[in-house]
């Protein structure tokens, strides 16, 4: 049992790491807050204090509304595909079949591909309207090719990002399925329950915590998607999310003040989503 002395010693040993982490987070945040109150651009040496003017300009910018909507659609679309698809694939991989181990390894492989590489592969090899795999498949059945990145830019990005994150969801769900007792399924089968009823009333409730954790972790990362948009569509009203809009403001316009205000707005929105998801996770873990 830990004593008061050992607890104090543990806190003392942890203090340097905690202090360093706190400074690592606090200093950039404080500088961003300060820059967001200045008219600070690359093209003007003067940086007068303007208060909340940068926030007003950013929030009333029409690009903010479209970027915010695209962010929600991107996160929601990827979560729907990965949760539903990951559950189905995990159910298939949980069965006994020949070559089970190599198939599991191949299914998990996309998660280890760098985002930039994945975006380039999908842009040039899969979604290219001339020689892409999808265009060739459509041509084989007599259908015209689709210029995905031009006609459906946001949907294309959702597909690319979902392809990357589907293995992660599959791995978590497969681990959850393997911890499910077979006795419950056998008892339900002996009582005459069908496969769909067993999944709905036994398997899915058992996966509830795993699904919640996947949603939480993926949402945190999906709110900061950038590379896939930069490589494929290069931004634009139809595909830019909040991180890409903020990056565009500072790289293309050189407006550090407005970009800093946008960063603070993005942090606030991300924390609101995180608080909601953390509470959701806490309720499921207590259940």
């Amino acid at each position: 049992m830990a004593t008061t002395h050992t607890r104090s010693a543990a806190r003392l040993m942890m203090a340097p790491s905690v202090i360093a982490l706190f400074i690592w987070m606090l200093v950039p945040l404080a500088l961003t807050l300060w820059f967001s109150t200045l008219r600070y651009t690359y093209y003007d040496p003067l940086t007068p204090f303007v208060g909340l003017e940068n926030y007003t300009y950013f929030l009333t910018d029409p690009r903010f509304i479209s970027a915010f909507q695209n962010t929600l659609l991107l996160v929601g679309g990827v979560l729907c595909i990965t949760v539903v698809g990951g559950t189905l694939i995990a159910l298939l991989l949980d069965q006994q079949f020949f070559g089970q181990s190599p198939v599991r390894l191949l299914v998990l492989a996309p998660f280890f591909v760098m985002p930039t590489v994945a975006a380039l592969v999908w842009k040039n090899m899969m979604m290219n309207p001339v020689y892409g795999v999808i265009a060739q498949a459509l041509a084989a059945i007599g259908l015209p090719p689709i210029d995905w990145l031009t006609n459906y830019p946001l949907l294309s990005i959702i597909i690319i990002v979902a392809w990357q994150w589907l293995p992660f969801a599959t791995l978590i769900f497969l681990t959850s399925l393997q911890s499910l007792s077979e006795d419950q399924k056998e008892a339900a089968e002996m009582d005459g329950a069908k496969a769909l009823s067993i999944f709905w009333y036994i398997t899915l409730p058992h996966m509830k915590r795993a699904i919640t954790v996947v949603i939480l972790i993926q949402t945190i990362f999906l709110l900061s998607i950038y590379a896939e948009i930069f490589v494929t569509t290069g931004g634009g009203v139809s595909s830019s999310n909040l991180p890409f809009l903020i990056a565009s403001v500072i790289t293309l316009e050189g407006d550090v003040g407005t970009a800093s205000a946008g960063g603070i707005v993005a942090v606030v929105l991300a924390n609101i989503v995180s608080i909601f998801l953390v509470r959701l996770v806490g309720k499921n873990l207590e259940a």
Side-chain angles (χ1 to χ4, degrees):
M1 181 179 295
T3 62
T4 304
H5 177 71
T6 56
R7 290 175 182 172
S8 300
R11 293 193 186 100
L12 184 62
M13 288 187 289
M14 292 173 58
S17 299
V18 174
I19 293 173
L21 182 61
F22 183 73
I23 295 175
W24 184 274
M25 297 171 58
L26 184 62
V27 171
L29 180 60
L31 288 175
T32 304
L33 281 169
W34 172 242
F35 291 155
S36 68
T37 61
L38 306 176
R39 185 177 291 117
Y40 180 9
T41 67
Y42 289 155
Y43 314 110
D44 190 350
L46 300 178
T47 57
F49 180 82
V50 294
L52 300 178
E53 181 180 314
N54 289 325
Y55 292 92
T56 303
Y57 176 78
F58 183 79
L59 292 174
T60 55
D61 190 338
R63 295 177 299 175
F64 168 74
I65 301 299
S66 63
F68 181 68
Q69 292 175 344
N70 291 338
T71 302
L72 295 180
L73 291 173
L74 176 60
V75 174
V78 173
L79 287 178
C80 289
I81 294 175
T82 53
V83 170
V84 176
T87 301
L88 296 176
I89 296 175
L91 290 171
L92 292 175
L93 294 180
D94 192 43
Q95 309 300 318
Q96 295 293 332
F97 58 89
F98 178 75
Q100 186 181 51
S101 297
V103 170
R104 287 181 178 180
L105 182 62
L106 291 174
V107 169
L108 299 178
F111 186 65
F112 301 100
V113 179
M114 291 183 293
T116 305
V117 176
L120 285 172
V121 169
W122 276 89
K123 177 182 179 180
N124 297 314
M125 298 181 62
M126 300 296 295
M127 293 181 171
N128 189 284
V130 178
Y131 52 81
V133 174
I134 298 177
Q136 296 295 325
L138 292 175
I141 58 178
L143 296 177
I146 300 174
D147 192 349
W148 290 90
L149 297 175
T150 301
N151 299 331
Y152 310 102
L154 186 59
L155 177 60
S156 303
I157 295 170
I158 290 174
I159 293 174
I160 295 171
V161 177
W163 177 80
Q164 292 177 263
W165 281 96
L166 187 59
F168 172 79
T170 302
L171 177 62
I172 300 299
F173 296 157
L174 181 59
T175 304
S176 177
L177 286 174
Q178 291 179 339
S179 66
L180 176 61
S181 175
E182 292 293 331
D183 295 339
Q184 299 182 36
K185 293 183 179 180
E186 294 175 359
E189 291 175 355
M190 293 178 63
D191 290 337
K194 302 298 183 181
L196 185 59
S197 298
I198 294 175
F199 170 76
W200 187 259
Y201 293 105
I202 297 178
T203 306
L204 194 58
H206 179 78
M207 297 175 62
K208 184 178 180 180
R209 295 184 180 182
I211 292 174
T212 306
V213 171
V214 166
I215 292 175
L216 173 62
I217 295 176
Q218 287 192 175
T219 300
I220 294 173
F221 285 94
L222 294 176
L223 288 172
S224 60
I225 291 295
Y226 177 84
E228 293 84 347
I229 300 175
F230 179 79
V231 172
T232 54
T233 65
V237 177
S238 301
S239 59
S240 291
N241 60 353
L242 281 178
F244 195 90
L245 173 61
I246 295 168
S248 300
V249 170
I250 194 170
T251 56
L252 300 180
E253 302 173 17
D255 193 344
V256 180
T258 302
S260 299
I264 297 300
V265 172
V267 168
V268 172
L269 294 176
N271 276 275
I272 292 174
V273 174
S274 299
I275 291 172
F276 172 76
L277 291 176
V278 166
R279 290 185 176 180
L280 181 63
V281 170
K283 290 181 180 179
N284 286 332
L285 292 179
E286 291 173 1

